[in-house]
Amino acid sequence: SSNGDLAEPGFWTLEAVRLLSDASCAEASAITSVGGDVAAGSAIVTTSGTSCTPFYCFVGGNVFQREPGIATSTWRGKTDSNGQAWLAIEFSAPTAVGCVQFAQQVSRYSSHVTVQVKASLGSEWETIGAKATQEGCPVAFSSNSCCDEEPGWQCEAVESISLGTLSPPPPLLPPSLPPPSNPPYAPSASSPDFGCLEFESMTEVRELGQWCGGGGRNNDPDACHRA
């Protein structure tokens, strides 16, 4: 969330956040390996910053271990040097995420929340979900929590962003083949038929009277040689 979306510029307070693998946000698909013991395989959580008070200071990972309206240890986030407030999660293995749910504090909420993903280290962030959130509580409340009277993820103030199912990249096309080479010369239909030539010996030609031609030459081999 950016400063322009924050009710109190510079600050964003979340009571609870959770990820779910199902795009329908089904309760049974909740991902629990976020914000817990990293050594035990839990995902790593980093934030834009934390606004501590004289009474408490909670890291961003705590907010993934809480429920709306029940926890008092909210994430009191603050914006970074670019005026953005954010939570980032780094999984140790490929993890399907189809839904993000969160509950905001009534006085320090964001009116617009965006979900982004980075396919790999060094790649650009890609927006895969966004939502304009509720301003104020949909039900009566008695504290800073909209879910104080209706604690848990069934609270009407819980926001859900469905990420849908990302389509796999299209298969690579096979390399294009070079154009076929020109076929060898073939005579057209109008070309005269031809084949191998047969040659006769010089003696046979003379005997058949086919040597040279013209008057008198058949009987004069020397004249043919001179022609």
Side-chain angles (χ1 to χ4, degrees), residues 55-193:
F55 303 102
Y56 61 84
C57 186
F58 296 100
V59 297
N62 286 346
V63 77
F64 289 92
Q65 301 293 314
R66 304 293 186 259
E67 290 192 17
I70 297 176
T72 56
S73 54
T74 57
W75 175 62
R76 297 171 60 85
K78 66 178 181 179
T79 55
D80 60 15
S81 58
N82 295 318
Q84 301 287 330
W86 50 265
L87 288 162
I89 305 164
E90 181 182 347
F91 291 99
S92 59
T95 303
V97 178
C99 174
V100 178
Q101 289 186 320
F102 57 94
Q104 306 185 91
Q105 192 181 71
V106 65
S107 59
R108 286 184 169 182
Y109 67 89
S110 174
S111 61
H112 190 268
V113 177
T114 300
V115 180
Q116 295 182 316
V117 66
K118 181 181 284 190
S120 61
L121 292 176
S123 61
E124 297 295 326
W125 287 102
E126 178 186 355
T127 298
I128 57 174
K131 183 178 183 181
T133 63
Q134 308 171 59
E135 296 187 18
C137 295
V139 295
F141 65 99
S142 58
S143 68
N144 267 338
S145 174
C146 290
C147 297
D148 198 40
E149 300 296 327
E150 187 188 9
W153 289 106
Q154 74 278 4
C155 172
E156 293 183 42
V158 169
E159 305 280 359
S160 298
I161 302 178
S162 177
L163 308 180
T165 302
L166 298 180
S167 301
L172 295 176
L173 296 176
S176 57
L177 299 175
S181 57
N182 293 329
Y185 172 77
S188 63
S190 59
S191 300
D193 294 335

Side-chain angles (χ1 to χ4, degrees), residues 200-227:
E200 298 172 321
S201 66
M202 299 299 290
T203 302
E204 292 173 335
V205 170
R206 292 191 187 99
E207 292 176 351
L208 295 173
Q210 295 175 342
W211 179 251
C212 294
R217 289 195 175 187
N218 291 337
N219 298 321
D220 187 1
D222 292 335
C224 289
H225 283 296
R226 294 191 298 270

Side-chain angles (χ1 to χ4, degrees), residues 19-44:
L19 308 179
L20 304 98
S21 59
D22 198 315
S24 67
C25 308
E27 179 71 27
S29 68
I31 300 172
T32 58
S33 60
V34 179
D37 186 1
V38 175
S42 185
I44 300 173

